[in-house]
Amino acid sequence: MVVEAHRLEGALWGVDFALPPGLIQGDPQHRNALHTTDGSAVLCDWDTVAHGQPEWDLVTVEVHCRRFGYGQAHYQAFASTYGWDVTKYAGYSVLRDIRELRMITTNARKVRHAPESLSEIRRRFDGLRRRDTQLPWNIL
């Protein structure tokens, strides 16, 4: 994975961000949303808030939809409502691969306290090595 991290670091230098920088949540995902009775959602868990490129948050939403079983239709509804589809963006695959590697390594650091997660982390690493972008992930 060190080689992959170096590859992605180099590739990131070539990414031209399409959207203007702004406030980003840092970990927008289904478990970080509070749903109201009228059906709207509000993001919570603002521990990683920053000023940065919205593409990072948008790719995180796409990864969660694809990897955790929410499906393409769910993601397309999000992208349509947002008005921009990160998967159509030239830098998508680089940001996707960085985000997925980060999601795996973040959980790998927690194995000592959650040894039951080791098999899932190994499965995810194996999928990354095989470049299996459709492998479903289990929530840890």
Side-chain angles (χ1 to χ4, degrees), residues 61-69 71 92 96 100 133-134 136:
V61 171
E62 187 279 329
V63 167
H64 277 265
C65 288
R66 180 172 35 84
R67 292 293 194 180
F68 296 115
Y92 163 71
R96 175 201 66 207
E100 289 183 348
T133 60
Q134 299 306 310

Side-chain angles (χ1 to χ4, degrees), residues 75-87:
Y75 171 72
Q76 287 303 321
F78 168 81
S80 177
T81 301
Y82 188 84
W84 198 75
D85 184 347
V86 73
T87 66

